[in-house]
C-alpha cells in the first residue's frame, strides 16, 4: 500500500503536481500539513535532491512539526531540506552574504527593547517633540514602511509638501543611519535586507535560485508585501512555487498581512494551477454548514465550501442571556454537567472570545466552581500587569502594610524614584523594624536619601490624598479617582499606544468588576468596602498553584485559537459592538468587517462535534451597562442548523436592516421597568479641539484632514480623510486626535 493511498483525490493531485506555480486553497481542517509533507516525500521519490527543497512556515513550532513529519516519511533523506520560518531563513542567508550590501556578517539583531532605545536616541538627536511624535508611533510607521518596501528616500518623496510627515521621514532616515552605524538589523530588516541583497547581487541571487528549485510556503494568506517579493525572487528561475493557504482564515491584517497576496496569485502567475482542499476531517457537517453560510457573505474571497464524511452531527446551540454574568454562569455550568455525566473531559472544551478582557467572568465562575482552566495566549486576568498595578494601589491605600504592593507602585507610573532610593528606604525599614510605607512617612530621617527625598514625599502625599478620598467616595468612583490622579492611563498610551488599547480594555473590565461588586453588596444589604472587594478578588485570583499537567478547560481569544481544534467550542460575546467591534461598525469599513467575519469563521471551525454560540443583552463595559444587539454574524447562520431552544422570530427591521432576533424560550414581563442606558453626553460647546478642515494626527492612521464633525448623544463623531489610511469615522474621546 502506497503512503499516498491515504490521501483524498484533491490532496493527491496537490502532491503529484510538482512543476510550475501551484496555489493550494486549503480550507480549515483539510489536512494541508499532510499534503506538504507528502509532497516533499514525492519530490524526493522523483529524484529531486533534498538540498533543492525549501519549505517555509510562520512559526518555529510549525517548522519543527513539519521537520518531524518529513523525517517520519523520508527518514535521513530529509536532513538537508530547509524547513524554517521566514526570519530564520533570512538570517542564514544574511550571515553568509550581508557584507555585499555594506554590513559585517557579525551583525546584531535588535529586539523590541533595543529598537525603543535606538528610537529614543534618534528622537534626542533630532530634537523631536515627543508630545506630537510618540516613540511607539514612530517605530510603527517605520515598520510599516519597511514591510511595504518603502525606503527612506521614497518615503521622503511621498511626504513632499507635508511638514509633519517630512519630520517622520527624517526620523526614518536617521533611524536607518544609526542601525547601519551599529551594524545592526531590526526584525523587519531581516526580510528587507535579504530582498535588497537578492535584488542587488546577481551572484547571490543566482546561487539561491539554483539552490531552492522547489519552494513551498505555508499560511500564505498571512504574508506581507516584502515576504511576497522575497518568494517571488527566489522562485523566479524555476517557478516551482507551491503556496498553501486559506483566504477565509486571513485574520492578521493588524500585523501587516496582505490578503491580496493569495487573492491575486493567479494574476501574478498566469499559468498557476489552483487546487481546492474542501474536504474537512475535523468537524461535523452542521458546523461546516454554519461556517460556510457566514463566510459566504464576504465579497473578497475565493469561492469554496467545506464538506465532510464525519456525518451531520448535532445542531448548534445558540443562547441569549440577559447579562454577561448569566452567560458565564451557563457556559461554566454546562461544561461542569457534561464532565459530571462522563460525556467529556475538561480539556475537550474551549471558550473563545473577541477580547482578553472577556475572560474575567469565566475565570471567576471557574474558581468558584472549583473547575481547572488555562488561558492560552494570555495570562490570568488578575495577573495582568495593569490589573496588578491597580490592585497594588488599592492594597497600599487599604492598610499600607503590604510592602510588595507599595514597592510595586512607588515608581508606577514613572516618577523618577530609582532603585537606589528604594533600596535605602527598604534598608531603613528593616533597621527600624517598620513597614516600607512607614519608612516613607519618615523619609527625611533616612541617611543619604539626598535628592530623592522630594520625590518620595510627593508619592506619600499622593497616597495620603487617596486615603482621604476613599472615605468620601464610593468604591467605583474611588477607583476612577486613582486612575485620574496617578495618570496611569496616560502613561500606558505614552509607553506603547498599540498595547495600551488592550490594557485599557482590561482596566475597563476591572472597573466593571468594581461596579458589579458594589451592586451585589447593595442587593445583599451589605456595606461595600475596599477591604471586602480585595478579599473577594484575592479568592478569585488565587489560581497560580494549578498544575498545568491537569485536565483544563481552555480559554483564549479567537486570534489565539487559529490552528487549534476542540470537541466542544463555546463562541461567546456574539454581539454587535463586541464582535464585530464597535469601531468596525462605526467606521463602516467593509474590509475591516470582512476581517471580523473571517475571525468568526475561524472560531466556528475550531469545533469538532459541538458548537455553542452565546450573547448577552446587556454587558458592563468601562463600568457602564451597555445594551447590544445580537451579532450580525449569528443572523447569517441558517435557522435549520440551530437547536429549537434558540428559535428566530421575525420583527420589524432595525436600523441596520436585520429583521431577526433570537428568542430564548422565555417570556419577559412586559410591565418590568427597564434600566435606562447610561449615556456620555456632549456638554462642551467648544467642540473636540479642532474643526472641519484642520489637519490632525492619529497614533495608528497618521496624519489626515477632518472632513466632518457631528455632535451625538455619546460623543463627537469625527470623520477624517487620512493621507495613507483613507476615510475613517471615530469618536473623539477614543481617537485622541492631535491638531497639527
Amino acid at each position: 500500500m502506497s503512503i499516498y493511498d491515504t490521501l483524498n483525490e484533491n490532496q493527491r493531485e496537490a502532491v503529484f503536481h510538482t512543476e510550475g506555480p501551484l496555489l493550494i486553497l486549503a480550507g480549515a481542517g483539510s489536512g494541508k500539513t499532510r499534503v506538504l509533507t507528502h509532497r516533499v516525500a514525492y519530490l524526493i521519490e522523483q529524484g529531486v535532491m533534498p538540498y533543492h527543497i525549501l519549505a517555509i512556515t510562520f512559526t518555529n513550532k510549525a517548522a519543527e512539526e513539519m521537520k518531524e513529519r518529513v523525517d517520519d516519511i523520508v527518514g535521513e533523506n530529509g536532513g538537508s531540506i530547509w524547513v524554517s520560518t521566514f526570519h530564520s531563513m533570512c538570517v542564514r542567508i544574511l550571515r553568509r552574504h550581508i557584507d555585499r550590501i555594506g554590513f559585517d556578517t557579525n551583525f546584531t539583531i535588535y529586539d523590541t527593547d533595543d529598537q525603543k532605545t535606538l528610537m529614543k536616541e534618534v528622537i534626542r538627536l533630532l530634537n523631536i517633540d515627543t508630545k506630537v511624535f510618540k516613540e511607539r508611533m514612530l517605530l510603527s510607521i517605520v515598520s510599516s514602511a519597511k514591510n511595504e518596501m518603502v525606503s527612506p528616500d521614497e518615503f521622503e518623496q511621498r511626504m513632499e509638501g507635508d511638514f509633519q510627515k517630512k519630520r517622520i521621514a527624517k526620523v526614518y532616515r536617521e533611524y536607518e543611519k544609526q542601525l547601519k552605524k551599529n551594524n545592526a538589523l531590526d526584525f523587519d530588516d531581516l526580510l528587507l535586507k535579504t530582498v535588497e541583497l537578492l535584488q542587488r547581487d546577481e551572484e547571490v541571487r543566482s546561487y539561491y535560485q539554483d539552490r531552492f528549485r522547489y519552494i513551498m510556503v505555508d499560511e500564505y494568506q498571512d504574508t506581507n508585501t516584502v515576504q511576497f517579493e522575497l518568494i517571488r525572487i527566489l522562485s523566479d528561475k524555476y517557478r516551482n512555487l507551491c503556496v498553501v493557504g486559506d483566504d477565509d482564515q486571513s485574520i492578521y491584517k493588524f500585523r501587516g498581512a496582505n490578503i491580496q497576496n493569495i487573492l491575486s496569485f493567479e494574476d501574478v502567475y498566469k499559468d498557476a494551477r489552483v487546487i481546492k482542499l474542501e474536504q474537512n476531517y475535523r468537524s461535523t457537517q452542521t458546523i461546516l454548514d454554519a461556517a460556510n453560510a457566514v463566510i459566504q457573505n464576504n465579497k473578497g474571497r475565493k469561492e469554496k465550501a467545506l464538506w465532510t464524511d464525519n456525518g451531520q452531527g448535532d445542531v448548534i446551540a445558540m443562547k441569549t442571556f440577559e447579562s454577561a454574568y448569566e452567560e458565564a454562569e451557563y457556559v461554566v455550568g454546562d461544561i461542569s454537567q457534561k464532565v459530571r455525566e462522563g460525556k467529556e473531559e475538561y480539556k475537550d472544551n474551549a471558550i473563545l472570545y473577541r477580547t482578553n478582557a472577556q475572560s474575567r467572568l469565566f475565570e471567576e465562575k471557574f474558581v468558584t466552581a472549583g473547575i481547572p482552566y488555562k488561558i492560552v495566549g494570555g495570562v490570568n486576568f488578575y495577573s495582568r500587569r495593569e490589573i496588578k498595578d491597580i490592585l497594588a494601589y488599592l492594597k497600599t491605600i487599604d492598610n499600607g502594610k503590604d510592602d510588595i504592593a507599595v514597592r510595586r507602585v512607588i515608581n508606577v507610573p514613572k516618577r523618577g524614584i530609582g532603585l537606589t532610593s528604594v533600596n535605602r528606604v527598604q534598608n531603613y525599614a528593616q533597621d527600624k523594624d517598620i513597614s516600607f510605607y512607614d519608612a516613607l512617612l519618615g523619609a527625611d530621617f533616612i541617611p543619604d536619601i539626598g535628592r530623592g527625598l522630594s520625590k518620595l514625599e510627593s508619592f506619600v502625599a499622593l497616597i495620603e490624598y487617596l486615603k482621604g478620598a476613599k472615605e468620601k467616595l464610593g468604591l467605583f468612583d474611588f477607583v476612577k479617582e486613582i486612575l485620574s490622579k496617578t495618570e496611569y492611563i496616560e502613561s500606558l498610551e505614552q509607553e506603547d499606544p498599540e498595547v495600551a488599547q488592550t490594557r485599557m480594555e482590561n482596566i475597563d473590565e476591572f472597573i466593571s468588576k468594581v461596579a458589579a461588586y458594589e451592586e451585589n453588596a447593595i442587593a445583599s444589604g451589605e456595606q461595600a468596602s475596599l477591604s471586602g472587594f480585595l478579599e473577594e478578588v484575592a479568592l478569585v485570583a488565587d489560581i497560580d498553584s494549578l498544575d498545568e499537567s491537569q485536565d483544563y478547560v481552555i480559554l483564549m481569544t479567537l486570534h489565539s485559537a487559529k490552528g487549534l481544534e476542540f470537541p466542544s467550542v463555546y463562541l461567546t460575546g456574539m454581539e454587535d459592538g463586541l464582535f464585530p467591534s464597535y469601531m468596525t461598525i462605526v467606521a463602516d469599513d467593509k474590509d475591516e468587517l470582512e476581517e471580523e467575519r473571517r475571525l468568526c469563521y475561524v472560531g466556528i471551525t475550531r469545533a469538532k462535534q459541538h458548537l455553542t454560540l452565546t450573547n448577552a443583552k446587556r454587558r458592563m463595559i468601562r463600568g457602564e451597562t451597555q445594551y447590544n444587539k445580537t451579532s450580525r454574524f449569528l443572523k447569517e447562520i441558517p435557522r435549520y442548523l440551530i437547536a429549537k431552544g434558540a428559535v428566530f422570530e421575525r420583527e420589524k427591521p432595525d436600523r441596520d436592516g436585520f429583521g431577526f432576533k433570537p428568542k430564548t424560550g422565555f417570556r419577559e414581563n412586559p410591565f418590568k421597568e427597564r434600566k435606562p442606558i447610561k449615556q456620555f453626553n456632549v456638554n462642551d460647546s467648544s467642540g473636540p479641539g479642532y474643526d472641519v478642515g484642520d489637519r490632525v494626527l492619529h497614533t495608528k492612521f497618521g496624519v489626515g484632514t477632518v472632513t466632518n464633525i457631528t455632535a451625538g448623544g455619546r460623543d463627537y463623531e469625527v470623520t477624517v480623510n487620512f493621507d495613507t489610511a483613507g476615510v475613517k469615522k471615530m469618536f473623539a474621546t477614543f481617537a485622541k486626535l492631535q491638531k497639527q
Side-chain angles (χ1 to χ4, degrees):
M1 180 178 176
S2 168
I3 61 171
Y4 310 110
D5 290 343
T6 59
L7 304 175
N8 65 42
E9 182 178 345
N10 286 27
Q11 289 175 332
R12 284 195 296 271
E13 184 180 357
V15 167
F16 298 151
H17 184 86
T18 60
E19 307 303 309
L22 171 65
L23 169 61
I24 302 176
L25 290 172
S30 61
K32 65 183 177 65
T33 304
R34 168 185 274 201
V35 169
L36 286 173
T37 53
H38 281 73
R39 197 168 189 274
V40 169
Y42 184 73
L43 285 169
I44 294 173
E45 279 187 12
Q46 298 306 302
V48 175
M49 296 294 294
Y51 178 84
H52 290 310
I53 301 174
L54 168 66
I56 302 176
T57 66
F58 263 79
T59 66
N60 290 318
K61 180 181 178 182
E64 289 301 318
E65 180 183 352
M66 187 174 293
K67 286 178 185 176
E68 292 175 3
R69 292 202 189 188
V70 168
D71 289 343
D72 289 342
I73 296 175
V74 302
E76 296 180 359
N77 289 332
S80 56
I81 299 172
W82 270 33
V83 182
S84 71
T85 64
F86 272 101
H87 291 92
S88 297
M89 176 190 71
C90 289
V91 169
R92 291 179 69 176
I93 293 174
L94 293 174
R95 287 294 182 200
R96 293 185 61 182
H97 307 290
I98 198 172
D99 55 326
R100 298 186 179 221
I101 55 173
F103 286 77
D104 293 337
T105 53
N106 64 338
F107 60 86
T108 300
I109 301 173
Y110 275 2
D111 62 17
T112 302
D113 288 337
D114 296 326
Q115 289 176 253
K116 290 179 180 178
T117 301
L118 182 61
M119 184 57 77
K120 287 177 182 176
E121 176 65 13
V122 169
I123 289 171
R124 186 189 67 79
L125 288 171
L126 298 181
N127 196 26
I128 299 294
D129 185 355
T130 54
K131 293 181 180 179
V132 178
F133 299 102
K134 298 290 190 291
E135 162 201 313
R136 186 60 194 171
M137 181 194 76
L138 292 172
L139 282 170
S140 178
I141 291 173
V142 169
S143 178
S144 296
K146 289 186 177 186
N147 285 333
E148 292 300 317
M149 300 181 63
V150 177
S151 68
D153 288 340
E154 185 180 352
F155 190 91
E156 189 168 18
Q157 290 173 5
R158 293 184 181 184
M159 302 303 112
E160 199 65 42
D162 189 316
F163 174 76
Q164 297 289 12
K165 287 192 174 181
K166 292 278 282 186
R167 296 282 285 170
I168 298 175
K170 288 183 179 180
V171 169
Y172 185 10
R173 186 180 300 282
E174 184 64 29
Y175 177 80
E176 289 298 279
K177 178 182 176 181
Q178 293 299 319
L179 279 172
K180 182 74 176 293
K181 176 184 174 183
N182 297 340
N183 192 41
L185 303 180
D186 63 21
F187 216 53
D188 297 315
D189 281 332
L190 297 178
L191 300 169
L192 191 60
K193 295 301 179 185
T194 303
V195 170
E196 181 183 338
L197 171 67
L198 295 172
Q199 288 175 335
R200 289 172 50 180
D201 195 298
E202 183 178 354
E203 183 181 1
V204 174
R205 180 172 65 250
S206 180
Y207 170 79
Y208 283 103
Q209 286 177 342
D210 280 327
R211 169 74 191 266
F212 302 131
R213 301 184 183 187
Y214 293 86
I215 300 175
M216 289 174 281
V217 184
D218 195 10
E219 303 288 4
Y220 191 66
Q221 77 278 351
D222 295 332
T223 55
N224 59 27
T225 300
V226 68
Q227 289 166 333
F228 168 83
E229 183 63 14
L230 174 61
I231 293 304
R232 188 197 64 77
I233 294 173
L234 288 175
S235 63
D236 195 46
K237 185 173 183 178
Y238 291 94
R239 305 184 80 253
N240 296 323
L241 172 63
C242 168
V243 300
V244 185
D246 182 7
D247 52 297
D248 289 336
Q249 296 187 74
S250 180
I251 58 174
Y252 297 120
K253 182 181 178 182
F254 66 97
R255 295 179 185 170
N258 185 354
I259 193 174
Q260 292 304 318
N261 288 351
I262 192 168
L263 293 179
S264 303
F265 188 81
E266 299 127 287
D267 296 330
V268 177
Y269 298 94
K270 302 294 185 183
D271 57 336
R273 179 76 171 273
V274 180
I275 299 174
K276 297 180 182 180
L277 303 183
E278 297 173 289
Q279 182 174 359
N280 175 284
Y281 292 91
R282 174 189 300 158
S283 307
T284 65
Q285 191 61 55
T286 294
I287 292 170
L288 298 181
D289 286 345
N292 290 334
V294 170
I295 202 63
Q296 283 175 4
N297 289 277
N298 275 4
K299 305 300 181 186
R301 65 183 293 265
K302 301 279 190 180
E303 187 62 38
K304 70 184 85 66
L306 298 178
W307 62 275
T308 186
D309 283 334
N310 292 341
Q312 195 64 35
D314 294 339
V315 290
I316 296 167
M318 187 179 292
K319 304 287 183 179
T320 297
F321 300 94
E322 289 295 318
S323 68
Y325 181 91
E326 292 178 12
E327 177 189 46
E329 192 170 51
Y330 168 79
V331 171
V332 173
D334 195 48
I335 293 172
S336 178
Q337 181 177 344
K338 289 189 295 185
V339 173
R340 284 199 311 270
E341 294 175 354
K343 296 178 179 178
E344 290 180 348
E345 297 180 78
Y346 290 126
K347 64 183 178 181
D348 295 330
N349 295 271
I351 300 174
L352 309 182
Y353 35 77
R354 181 64 182 85
T355 65
N356 275 310
Q358 290 170 252
S359 71
R360 194 260 300 175
L361 285 174
F362 295 106
E363 291 183 65
E364 292 186 1
K365 291 297 179 185
F366 280 131
V367 171
T368 302
I371 296 175
Y373 69 93
K374 179 180 179 182
I375 297 179
V376 176
V379 295
N380 173 290
F381 181 83
Y382 293 105
S383 295
R384 291 165 186 155
R385 192 193 84 183
E386 59 277 11
I387 303 305
K388 289 179 74 71
D389 287 345
I390 299 171
L391 284 171
Y393 268 109
L394 292 174
K395 292 175 183 177
T396 297
I397 294 161
D398 192 39
N399 59 32
K401 294 181 180 179
D402 188 339
D403 285 4
I404 294 176
V406 180
R407 292 185 63 177
R408 180 180 182 92
V409 298
I410 193 170
N411 200 39
V412 176
K414 287 182 171 58
R415 46 179 65 94
I417 300 176
L419 185 60
T420 300
S421 295
V422 171
N423 288 339
R424 283 173 178 160
V425 175
Q426 183 66 25
N427 292 336
Y428 182 79
Q430 290 174 343
D431 290 342
K432 299 297 182 181
D433 195 25
I434 58 177
S435 71
F436 187 89
Y437 190 75
D438 284 340
L440 288 175
L441 290 172
D444 52 332
F445 293 107
I446 299 175
D448 301 320
I449 199 65
R451 290 179 298 177
L453 178 60
S454 62
K455 295 171 183 176
L456 294 176
E457 289 179 334
S458 177
F459 172 71
V460 169
L462 170 66
I463 297 301
E464 291 301 309
Y465 164 79
L466 291 173
K467 284 184 177 181
K470 183 191 73 165
E471 305 303 323
K472 301 174 184 177
L473 301 174
L475 194 55
F476 176 83
D477 291 331
F478 176 58
V479 172
K480 285 196 166 186
E481 182 72 359
I482 290 176
L483 293 171
S484 173
K485 291 300 182 183
T486 60
E487 298 182 343
Y488 188 83
I489 300 296
E490 290 82 351
S491 73
L492 290 179
E493 293 173 330
Q494 293 173 8
E495 177 184 307
D496 190 337
E498 294 180 2
V499 176
Q501 182 60 40
T502 298
R503 295 197 185 283
M504 285 188 286
E505 289 174 355
N506 291 332
I507 291 172
D508 290 340
E509 183 66 10
F510 182 84
I511 293 173
S512 296
K513 166 63 181 176
V514 174
Y517 165 76
E518 281 196 309
E519 289 179 5
N520 291 337
I522 293 171
S524 303
E526 299 175 357
Q527 179 68 39
S529 68
L530 176 55
S531 297
F533 175 74
L534 290 172
E535 179 181 341
E536 181 170 308
V537 168
L539 292 174
V540 170
D542 189 20
I543 61 168
D544 296 333
S545 60
L546 286 177
D547 185 353
E548 290 193 4
S549 65
Q550 291 182 12
D551 189 18
Y552 286 96
V553 177
I554 304 298
L555 287 81
M556 69 178 75
T557 64
L558 285 153
H559 281 101
S560 298
K562 187 168 175 290
L564 302 176
E565 59 183 40
F566 305 92
S568 291
V569 166
Y570 296 83
L571 193 46
T572 64
M574 299 294 292
E575 302 136 31
D576 270 7
L578 189 59
F579 190 34
S581 70
Y582 178 73
M583 289 306 296
T584 298
I585 296 171
V586 170
D588 195 24
D589 188 319
K590 179 181 73 68
D591 292 339
E592 292 290 339
L593 182 60
E594 293 209 347
E595 175 125 342
E596 291 276 291
R597 186 176 281 110
R598 291 194 292 270
L599 195 56
C600 180
Y601 173 84
V602 166
I604 292 173
T605 54
R606 299 311 94 194
K608 297 170 71 175
Q609 284 101 35
H610 308 291
L611 176 64
T612 301
L613 306 170
T614 66
N615 65 290
K617 293 182 179 179
R618 67 176 187 271
R619 187 178 297 272
M620 195 175 286
I621 306 292
R622 294 178 294 277
E624 301 284 343
T625 300
Q626 294 187 5
Y627 293 81
N628 297 322
K629 299 174 183 177
T630 301
S631 172
R632 61 195 66 196
F633 300 148
L634 292 188
K635 299 170 184 178
E636 294 169 353
I637 299 175
R639 285 174 286 171
Y640 72 88
L641 298 174
I642 299 167
K644 293 182 179 179
V647 182
F648 284 101
E649 65 178 0
R650 185 163 303 268
E651 64 172 353
K652 184 178 179 180
D654 55 35
R655 288 187 303 169
D656 294 328
F658 296 104
F660 298 97
K661 69 177 182 180
K663 184 177 180 181
T664 55
F666 63 88
R667 185 170 297 175
E668 187 173 346
N669 183 354
F671 302 101
K672 180 181 178 181
E673 182 178 354
R674 291 184 178 271
K675 184 177 179 180
I677 302 176
K678 296 181 181 179
Q679 297 286 344
F680 295 102
N681 295 317
V682 178
N683 297 317
D684 185 3
S685 60
S686 63
Y690 41 80
D691 297 314
V692 173
D694 284 344
R695 299 283 285 171
V696 293
L697 177 69
H698 186 275
T699 56
K700 177 180 178 182
F701 302 127
V703 178
T705 303
V706 178
T707 59
N708 188 47
I709 299 176
T710 303
R714 293 171 57 86
D715 198 350
Y716 287 100
E717 184 181 271
V718 183
T719 304
V720 182
N721 186 1
F722 290 101
D723 297 348
T724 56
V727 178
K728 303 288 183 183
K729 290 183 180 179
M730 57 198 73
F731 281 123
T733 300
F734 297 105
K736 292 183 171 58
L737 298 170
Q738 297 180 15
K739 184 177 177 180
Q740 300 300 291

